[in-house]
Amino acid sequence: MGDVPDAHASSSRSAASGPLAGAVEQARAAAVETAGDPDLVGEHLGASPEVFRPTADDVPAEALGSVVTHTFASRLPGYVGWHWAVTVAGVPGEDTVTVDEVVLLPGDSALLAPAWVPWHERLRPGDLSVGDVLPSTEDDPRLVPTWTASDDSADDPEGRVVAEELGLGRERVMSAEGRAEAVARWNAGDFGPGSAMARSAPGPCATCGFWLPLAGSLRQRIGACGNVYAPADGRVVTADYGCGAHSQATLVVTEPTEVVNSARYDTGAFDVLTD
């Protein structure tokens, strides 16, 4: 028993050689109308039937008509490797050709813009300038909801005191993931334990009198430097960072120095002449 011929394949072959395939000038005119200038539409590159199948089983493919796409080279400045694609359609049994759409499409050698990236993924540290507003998203993993004025604890004086003492008088606070991310970033920065300054320091910041630890769960690991002479003054530093301005740093005298209070003359380098 032989294979049953595909009605849609037969329709596509006839479309590629029928009125739709011959509607080159009609397709060109549509491309010129869209481009706005005849010089922007180049030579005809070919015509190819569009393959589609009916969504309902009881609808024959030939009843849907035929669709052919004509392509023309693009002469639009800045669009090297692109082409105009004009899709035309025809109703079964009629020679009337209808233009469906005209689009400019990239070819294999076209220069394409990079994939779109959401703004919150494009931002980098330092991008925010004066007057800019950076809204946080509701699903920001660095933040978690906490005590707010609309909670039940707002009507409880003791609950309000506890919330304020814990620093929860805010709508959201940093999550464990957000804190871990911040600590990792600070550890890897210029004021972390791996910096050249920290490796040659006489002691870590955690033992320095100018160390101002943060409040909360990070107080044992992160703080600020309050030494005006330190390179990290006013900066967030890790507990194991350090610099030469440590409060307990002392000068170690390696060799005693003789202090001479009277003039001395060295006679070993010259001869004394006598009569």
Side-chain angles (χ1 to χ4, degrees), residues 84-106:
W84 296 100
V86 183
T87 302
V88 295
V91 177
E94 296 185 11
D95 294 336
T96 303
V97 177
T98 303
V99 176
D100 279 357
E101 63 178 354
V102 181
V103 293
L104 187 64
L105 298 177

Side-chain angles (χ1 to χ4, degrees), residues 177-198:
E177 180 179 349
R179 294 193 299 270
E181 179 183 326
V183 171
R185 185 172 63 251
W186 294 332
N187 266 310
D190 295 336
F191 303 111
S195 63
M197 179 70 74

Side-chain angles (χ1 to χ4, degrees), residues 183-201 204-205 221-222 237-242:
V183 171
R185 185 172 63 251
W186 294 332
N187 266 310
D190 295 336
F191 303 111
S195 63
M197 179 70 74
R199 291 197 300 269
S200 60
C205 288
R221 305 176 61 185
I222 303 296
V237 295
T238 61
D240 44 3
Y241 174 73

